Amino acid sequence: MLKVENLTIRFDTRYGPLTAVDDVTFEVRPGEVFGLVGESGAGKSLTGQSIIGLLDPPGYIAGGQITLEGTRIDNLAYNHLRALRGRKIGMIFQDPLTSLNPLYTIGKQLTETILTHSSMTNAEAQKQAIALLTDVGIPGAGERINCYPHQFSGGMRQRVVIALALCVNPQLVIADEPTTALDVSIQAQILSLLKRMCREHGAAVILITHDMGVIAQVAQRVAVMYSGRLVEIGDVRQVVKHPQHPYARGLMGSIPSLHHQVDQLTQIDGTMPRLTDIPSGCAFHPRCPDCFDLCKDKRPPLKKIADSHIACWLYANEAHHAG
Amino acid sequence: MLAFIIRRLAQSLFVMFFVAMVAFLMFNYVGDPVHQMVGIDTSFEEREALREHLGLNDPALVQFMRFIGHAMQGEFGLSYQHKRPVADLFRERLPATLELSFVAALLALVVGVPMGVYTGLNRNGFISKLFMTFSLIGISLPTFLIGILLIFIFAVILGWLPSFGRGEVVTVGVWTTGLLTQSGLKALIMPSVTLGLFQLTLIMRLVRSEMLEVLRTDYIKFARARGLSNRAVNFGHALKNTLVPVITITGLQIGSIIAFAIITETVFQWPGMGLMFLQAIHNVDIPIMSAYLLLVAFFFVVINLIVDMLYYVVDPRLRIDLGKANGH
């Protein structure tokens, strides 16, 4: 349904162009939850913003294309892009406390969005807004609709945000760290709500997060990003249980498990490189425990190995030997 | 809300009381009022009789209470210089000043807010840069210089507009207005531009910086991500969020416009309170000075009260008590 092909995002700075997202390719299938994980600065949020055309300048799409149901959407004129936002692609931001306009009631923000994209009457929109709020689990939605955002708790506000993102039934919802700002006890509720709402509305989800636990809980497929590049994409069970790329292995090893007693969690030495000095070859090579000469010289391509795609010379050679 | 208004009213009364005290002190202790009133050949006995007649030998507290009592009835005594009740003088001149201030403030808002929004939205456009450069002139040139420059260009060289006075005025009840005659309107143009220019540029720069701030927030991004039109996002969501600081500054500035109309009125010989006040200073006409002090304080207090109430209208977060009261 959504295809991102060779997406490259650059920032022009005084020191020359910085490539923040480099040659990223993936596909989201209808109705699925697609996870996008990586450390802060890996380019996952930028990828999400570029899909909905909200990349903040000076960032821009320097290459590649994004298509939704066969139509290119990365070079749309403003009016077409606007019609697409909300209607076909919804977005949920990280912080529910700042995502809602403090000066308008949540009802006004909901009906405004519904009316923008449909020819309903005010009363119909109001009714739909109440139905939506009830759906996302706001008790007494009929009265609460006239409340202002500050009268809701963080978790409740994120429920309202989900209702807002889904109010015109988009096919795709980009959820950028939707639970990061919330209490751990609320996180699971919001995640399952997001999953249920998207299933009921038939929307696919791109779930952007740095939390592998969240991905394991709700996603069907997952892409791991490092330094603006994809290092591994695959079925979530495969990637979580048997990660192949050394970076993905490191990430998984760093999650404490309830089922197995682990004496020491794995730690990936070093930090992610800054955009100004991304290493040659494979961007991960200075931190990689399995690095060899080829890694330093040449960037590994994304190769299909079993059911996953992995960008690592370790496996490219293996595949080569096997084939 | 009611409790809030009552509380603010009490504070306002306190402020007014304090200002009245200053005005009273000025009235009684800056020089000797009797000395101001009598001629050089008045005998000592006559002076003492006058002092007794005016109640100047009473205890200060009694005099102060009497002063407040009179002030509340709009009585500020006789002007030394005009030999007429101060209240009458103000009644004649208040409309001129208020009209000028009102037009200047309106100009500042009606032109300043759109310019601020425009420069906030198109921060790198050519016109925005032009506006910003122009606003530097408004901020940095002193009022009297702008007035004199305007007179020089439009009255002396081009001869389009009158250089002084209020033009023809029409009396409507107790109010004299220049807004209904052509010459009155013509005479109003230059003074109001002069008076309003600083506030205009101030409001423009304030709206611009607030817009830039608000446009970066998550809720604006989220509004865009929901596909709302630019118009709805920029004017409905962004502009409204810039209003609280803009209302604050504008309110304070309207106070200053009234108070500092003095300079503009002098430059254009505008027959308002400011001009009268300046003449009163020349002639040590203390009743006028203390009345002016009280009146300006009164305007500031009233405007601040209105501003505080506007906050409630604009920002629901301040209405939190009210919301809770209604919620149950």
Side-chain angles (χ1 to χ4, degrees):
Chain A
M1 181 190 65
L2 177 87
K3 273 191 181 151
V4 174
E5 289 163 281
N6 308 103
L7 178 71
T8 302
I9 296 171
R10 288 219 175 93
F11 286 82
D12 284 339
T13 67
R14 266 182 292 176
Y15 314 104
L18 295 182
T19 307
V21 172
D22 195 353
D23 202 17
V24 164
T25 299
F26 62 88
E27 188 185 352
V28 181
R29 297 167 192 158
E32 77 171 342
V33 178
F34 181 82
L36 201 54
V37 278
E39 295 170 55
S40 338
K44 48 195 197 313
S45 288
L46 288 174
T47 306
Q49 286 164 14
S50 68
I51 292 169
I52 199 165
L54 277 175
L55 216 50
D56 276 325
Y60 65 98
I61 299 180
Q65 61 175 20
I66 303 169
T67 53
L68 184 70
E69 299 185 304
T71 322
R72 264 191 91 161
I73 57 168
D74 55 297
N75 55 359
L76 286 179
Y78 169 75
N79 269 330
H80 292 105
L81 187 63
R82 187 173 79 69
L84 190 89
R85 290 179 187 155
R87 182 87 197 77
K88 297 229 160 156
I89 306 176
M91 185 139 189
I92 295 168
F93 288 92
Q94 176 174 354
D95 191 350
L97 299 181
T98 57
S99 294
L100 299 168
N101 190 332
L103 302 189
Y104 289 118
T105 63
I106 58 165
K108 153 93 178 145
Q109 299 188 47
L110 270 164
T111 50
E112 184 185 25
T113 313
I114 295 168
L115 291 172
T116 304
H117 295 287
S118 71
S119 51
M120 279 185 207
T121 63
N122 243 325
E124 285 168 342
Q126 182 88 3
K127 227 162 119 190
Q128 190 180 338
I130 293 175
L132 264 164
L133 287 178
T134 312
D135 252 10
V136 294
I138 304 245
E143 290 165 34
R144 297 290 270 163
I145 196 165
N146 294 320
C147 289
Y148 289 91
H150 70 262
Q151 291 163 303
F152 291 85
S153 67
M156 281 294 164
R157 282 193 229 182
Q158 198 62 314
R159 285 168 193 267
V160 174
V161 168
I162 290 173
L164 269 165
L166 284 167
C167 67
V168 254
N169 296 314
Q171 293 150 308
L172 174 70
V173 171
I174 302 166
D176 193 349
E177 308 256 10
T179 56
T180 309
L182 297 173
D183 233 306
V184 181
S185 54
I186 312 282
Q187 283 188 3
Q189 287 177 25
I190 295 293
L191 277 177
S192 64
L193 172 74
L194 181 66
K195 205 173 166 183
R196 173 173 70 79
M197 287 299 287
C198 288
R199 197 174 52 234
E200 282 169 13
H201 289 249
V205 181
I206 296 181
L207 183 61
I208 298 170
T209 177
H210 59 258
D211 188 343
M212 273 317 277
V214 166
I215 294 288
Q217 199 183 338
V218 291
Q220 277 105 49
R221 289 193 313 129
V222 58
V224 181
M225 284 185 84
Y226 182 79
S227 231
R229 302 168 185 186
L230 280 183
V231 294
E232 182 161 351
I233 309 186
D235 190 78
V236 77
R237 258 176 244 151
Q238 176 70 26
V239 177
V240 171
K241 292 265 167 60
H242 308 286
Q244 312 266 336
H245 194 283
Y247 176 64
R249 274 209 306 267
L251 269 188
M252 300 310 145
S254 63
I255 304 169
S257 163
L258 286 179
H259 308 296
H260 313 286
Q261 186 65 43
V262 187
D263 290 335
Q264 197 169 9
L265 295 172
T266 323
Q267 182 190 342
I268 309 175
D269 290 326
T271 52
M272 199 168 68
R274 296 160 62 103
L275 290 178
T276 42
D277 45 16
I278 291 177
S280 62
C282 174
F284 188 58
H285 85 252
R287 301 169 72 188
C288 183
D290 305 321
C291 164
F292 51 96
D293 286 346
L294 186 57
C295 305
K296 294 174 186 165
D297 301 332
K298 246 180 123 183
R299 184 175 161 185
L302 203 62
K303 275 247 166 103
K304 188 170 159 71
I305 290 148
D307 287 332
S308 304
H309 286 79
I310 294 146
C312 181
W313 287 120
L314 225 50
Y315 301 97
N317 286 345
E318 225 168 67
H320 179 73
H321 290 310
Chain B
M1 183 85 186
L2 194 67
F4 165 79
I5 292 177
I6 291 171
R7 203 165 52 234
R8 291 291 287 115
L9 271 176
Q11 285 169 5
S12 306
L13 279 180
F14 180 75
V15 170
M16 286 309 295
F17 179 78
F18 198 76
V19 173
M21 206 154 79
V22 174
F24 168 74
L25 287 178
M26 196 169 82
F27 198 11
N28 279 36
Y29 299 105
V30 178
D32 182 353
V34 172
H35 201 70
Q36 302 283 349
M37 283 178 242
V38 296
I40 197 142
D41 49 355
T42 317
S43 72
F44 183 75
E45 286 71 28
E46 279 173 318
R47 285 178 192 226
E48 280 309 304
L50 183 62
R51 198 177 292 276
E52 190 62 38
H53 175 70
L54 288 173
L56 293 177
N57 290 333
D58 294 346
L61 198 63
V62 173
Q63 287 191 51
F64 181 47
M65 285 334 229
R66 197 159 50 216
F67 174 79
I68 286 188
H70 285 156
M72 284 202 294
Q73 293 160 37
E75 293 278 339
F76 294 98
L78 285 178
S79 156
Y80 301 158
Q81 149 205 16
H82 299 273
K83 309 288 177 216
R84 290 179 51 203
V86 171
D88 288 353
L89 289 169
F90 273 94
R91 212 168 287 136
E92 283 163 21
R93 285 159 178 265
L94 191 63
T97 296
L98 284 188
E99 247 170 42
L100 175 63
S101 306
F102 175 74
V103 172
L106 199 69
L107 184 82
L109 277 178
V110 169
V111 180
V113 171
M115 272 168 80
V117 171
Y118 181 87
T119 50
L121 291 176
N122 314 289
R123 56 187 298 201
N124 292 318
F126 174 72
I127 299 179
S128 298
K129 288 187 173 147
L130 207 70
F131 282 171
M132 289 307 285
T133 315
F134 157 79
S135 77
L136 275 182
I137 299 175
I139 292 268
S140 46
L141 276 192
T143 312
F144 67 89
L145 193 62
I146 294 172
I148 290 169
L149 277 177
L150 285 179
I151 290 177
F152 183 64
I153 296 171
F154 292 102
V156 177
I157 297 183
L158 295 171
W160 291 349
L161 298 167
S163 63
F164 70 92
R166 225 187 146 189
E168 257 177 85
V169 292
V170 179
T171 308
V172 183
V174 290
W175 193 272
T176 58
T177 177
L179 295 174
L180 298 175
T181 63
Q182 209 190 353
S183 74
L185 286 174
K186 257 178 143 177
L188 193 58
I189 295 174
M190 286 203 293
S192 57
V193 168
T194 307
L195 187 57
L197 192 63
F198 176 79
Q199 333 292 333
L200 189 157
T201 49
L202 189 75
I203 287 173
M204 174 195 136
R205 295 179 82 99
L206 181 72
V207 170
R208 172 180 178 272
S209 65
E210 287 297 322
M211 277 298 273
L212 290 177
E213 190 98 340
V214 169
L215 287 173
R216 272 201 297 270
T217 57
D218 279 355
Y219 55 83
I220 293 300
K221 259 199 166 170
F222 189 39
R224 289 200 202 287
R226 299 202 303 272
L228 302 184
S229 67
N230 263 343
R231 218 181 103 130
V233 173
N234 293 339
F235 293 95
H237 287 260
L239 183 60
K240 199 173 173 191
N241 272 286
T242 67
L243 284 185
V244 167
V246 171
I247 288 172
T248 313
I249 300 293
T250 308
L252 289 176
Q253 288 303 317
I254 288 178
S256 325
I257 283 183
I258 296 173
F260 300 127
I262 296 174
I263 295 167
T264 309
E265 287 184 4
T266 311
V267 170
F268 290 95
Q269 288 298 302
W270 189 262
M273 301 186 307
L275 187 61
M276 180 171 70
F277 175 66
L278 216 65
Q279 287 161 353
I281 292 178
H282 275 296
N283 301 312
V284 203
D285 197 344
I286 288 175
I288 287 188
M289 284 155 70
S290 58
Y292 184 79
L293 188 68
L294 271 174
L295 200 64
V296 168
F298 176 73
F299 281 132
F300 264 97
V301 162
V302 169
I303 288 166
N304 272 328
L305 195 65
I306 293 172
V307 164
D308 279 350
M309 278 173 353
L310 280 179
Y311 286 169
Y312 265 58
V313 176
V314 171
D315 196 336
R317 281 166 294 186
L318 299 173
R319 274 180 251 152
I320 192 145
D321 303 329
L322 193 71
K324 270 181 190 152
N326 287 345
H328 294 285

PDB file of all heavy atoms in Angstrom, chain B residues 134-145:
ATOM      1  N   PHE B 134      11.177  49.017   8.217  1.00  0.00           N
ATOM      2  CA  PHE B 134      10.295  50.135   8.518  1.00  0.00           C
ATOM      3  C   PHE B 134       9.996  50.206  10.025  1.00  0.00           C
ATOM      4  O   PHE B 134       9.963  51.274  10.622  1.00  0.00           O
ATOM      5  CB  PHE B 134       9.005  49.953   7.709  1.00  0.00           C
ATOM      6  CG  PHE B 134       7.810  50.660   8.279  1.00  0.00           C
ATOM      7  CD1 PHE B 134       7.646  52.014   8.086  1.00  0.00           C
ATOM      8  CD2 PHE B 134       6.856  49.961   9.008  1.00  0.00           C
ATOM      9  CE1 PHE B 134       6.544  52.660   8.614  1.00  0.00           C
ATOM     10  CE2 PHE B 134       5.757  50.594   9.539  1.00  0.00           C
ATOM     11  CZ  PHE B 134       5.606  51.957   9.338  1.00  0.00           C
ATOM     12  N   SER B 135       9.850  49.009  10.635  1.00  0.00           N
ATOM     13  CA  SER B 135       9.493  48.994  12.051  1.00  0.00           C
ATOM     14  C   SER B 135      10.642  49.533  12.907  1.00  0.00           C
ATOM     15  O   SER B 135      10.428  50.087  13.968  1.00  0.00           O
ATOM     16  CB  SER B 135       9.131  47.578  12.487  1.00  0.00           C
ATOM     17  OG  SER B 135      10.298  46.806  12.668  1.00  0.00           O
ATOM     18  N   LEU B 136      11.863  49.382  12.407  1.00  0.00           N
ATOM     19  CA  LEU B 136      13.010  49.944  13.148  1.00  0.00           C
ATOM     20  C   LEU B 136      12.875  51.455  13.246  1.00  0.00           C
ATOM     21  O   LEU B 136      13.185  52.056  14.270  1.00  0.00           O
ATOM     22  CB  LEU B 136      14.312  49.591  12.444  1.00  0.00           C
ATOM     23  CG  LEU B 136      14.884  48.223  12.792  1.00  0.00           C
ATOM     24  CD1 LEU B 136      16.190  48.017  12.066  1.00  0.00           C
ATOM     25  CD2 LEU B 136      15.108  48.126  14.291  1.00  0.00           C
ATOM     26  N   ILE B 137      12.389  52.066  12.153  1.00  0.00           N
ATOM     27  CA  ILE B 137      12.194  53.514  12.173  1.00  0.00           C
ATOM     28  C   ILE B 137      11.174  53.876  13.251  1.00  0.00           C
ATOM     29  O   ILE B 137      11.392  54.757  14.070  1.00  0.00           O
ATOM     30  CB  ILE B 137      11.693  54.003  10.800  1.00  0.00           C
ATOM     31  CG1 ILE B 137      12.731  53.673   9.729  1.00  0.00           C
ATOM     32  CG2 ILE B 137      11.393  55.492  10.825  1.00  0.00           C
ATOM     33  CD1 ILE B 137      12.286  53.997   8.329  1.00  0.00           C
ATOM     34  N   GLY B 138      10.056  53.141  13.245  1.00  0.00           N
ATOM     35  CA  GLY B 138       9.002  53.425  14.212  1.00  0.00           C
ATOM     36  C   GLY B 138       9.470  53.270  15.637  1.00  0.00           C
ATOM     37  O   GLY B 138       9.101  54.045  16.513  1.00  0.00           O
ATOM     38  N   ILE B 139      10.304  52.252  15.869  1.00  0.00           N
ATOM     39  CA  ILE B 139      10.776  51.996  17.229  1.00  0.00           C
ATOM     40  C   ILE B 139      11.786  53.046  17.664  1.00  0.00           C
ATOM     41  O   ILE B 139      11.789  53.489  18.808  1.00  0.00           O
ATOM     42  CB  ILE B 139      11.437  50.588  17.311  1.00  0.00           C
ATOM     43  CG1 ILE B 139      10.388  49.501  17.133  1.00  0.00           C
ATOM     44  CG2 ILE B 139      12.223  50.415  18.593  1.00  0.00           C
ATOM     45  CD1 ILE B 139       9.774  48.991  18.396  1.00  0.00           C
ATOM     46  N   SER B 140      12.635  53.468  16.735  1.00  0.00           N
ATOM     47  CA  SER B 140      13.781  54.269  17.181  1.00  0.00           C
ATOM     48  C   SER B 140      13.588  55.780  17.057  1.00  0.00           C
ATOM     49  O   SER B 140      14.202  56.529  17.794  1.00  0.00           O
ATOM     50  CB  SER B 140      15.045  53.831  16.433  1.00  0.00           C
ATOM     51  OG  SER B 140      14.778  53.695  15.072  1.00  0.00           O
ATOM     52  N   LEU B 141      12.722  56.240  16.136  1.00  0.00           N
ATOM     53  CA  LEU B 141      12.563  57.695  16.024  1.00  0.00           C
ATOM     54  C   LEU B 141      11.687  58.220  17.148  1.00  0.00           C
ATOM     55  O   LEU B 141      10.627  57.668  17.412  1.00  0.00           O
ATOM     56  CB  LEU B 141      11.922  58.048  14.684  1.00  0.00           C
ATOM     57  CG  LEU B 141      12.827  58.177  13.466  1.00  0.00           C
ATOM     58  CD1 LEU B 141      12.050  58.804  12.316  1.00  0.00           C
ATOM     59  CD2 LEU B 141      14.049  59.011  13.773  1.00  0.00           C
ATOM     60  N   PRO B 142      12.096  59.292  17.799  1.00  0.00           N
ATOM     61  CA  PRO B 142      11.235  59.858  18.858  1.00  0.00           C
ATOM     62  C   PRO B 142       9.978  60.477  18.257  1.00  0.00           C
ATOM     63  O   PRO B 142       9.982  60.971  17.131  1.00  0.00           O
ATOM     64  CB  PRO B 142      12.114  60.913  19.520  1.00  0.00           C
ATOM     65  CG  PRO B 142      13.211  61.171  18.572  1.00  0.00           C
ATOM     66  CD  PRO B 142      13.371  59.983  17.698  1.00  0.00           C
ATOM     67  N   THR B 143       8.897  60.448  19.050  1.00  0.00           N
ATOM     68  CA  THR B 143       7.589  60.891  18.584  1.00  0.00           C
ATOM     69  C   THR B 143       7.607  62.313  18.028  1.00  0.00           C
ATOM     70  O   THR B 143       7.070  62.568  16.957  1.00  0.00           O
ATOM     71  CB  THR B 143       6.586  60.831  19.754  1.00  0.00           C
ATOM     72  OG1 THR B 143       6.733  59.570  20.375  1.00  0.00           O
ATOM     73  CG2 THR B 143       5.183  61.000  19.282  1.00  0.00           C
ATOM     74  N   PHE B 144       8.246  63.219  18.765  1.00  0.00           N
ATOM     75  CA  PHE B 144       8.169  64.615  18.328  1.00  0.00           C
ATOM     76  C   PHE B 144       8.843  64.800  16.974  1.00  0.00           C
ATOM     77  O   PHE B 144       8.409  65.580  16.143  1.00  0.00           O
ATOM     78  CB  PHE B 144       8.780  65.553  19.376  1.00  0.00           C
ATOM     79  CG  PHE B 144      10.259  65.397  19.566  1.00  0.00           C
ATOM     80  CD1 PHE B 144      11.144  66.115  18.794  1.00  0.00           C
ATOM     81  CD2 PHE B 144      10.759  64.515  20.528  1.00  0.00           C
ATOM     82  CE1 PHE B 144      12.506  65.973  18.973  1.00  0.00           C
ATOM     83  CE2 PHE B 144      12.107  64.376  20.705  1.00  0.00           C
ATOM     84  CZ  PHE B 144      12.991  65.092  19.927  1.00  0.00           C
ATOM     85  N   LEU B 145       9.896  63.998  16.735  1.00  0.00           N
ATOM     86  CA  LEU B 145      10.604  64.123  15.467  1.00  0.00           C
ATOM     87  C   LEU B 145       9.708  63.644  14.321  1.00  0.00           C
ATOM     88  O   LEU B 145       9.622  64.288  13.272  1.00  0.00           O
ATOM     89  CB  LEU B 145      11.899  63.300  15.512  1.00  0.00           C
ATOM     90  CG  LEU B 145      12.859  63.592  14.372  1.00  0.00           C
ATOM     91  CD1 LEU B 145      13.315  65.031  14.417  1.00  0.00           C
ATOM     92  CD2 LEU B 145      14.047  62.658  14.434  1.00  0.00           C
TER      93      LEU B 145
END
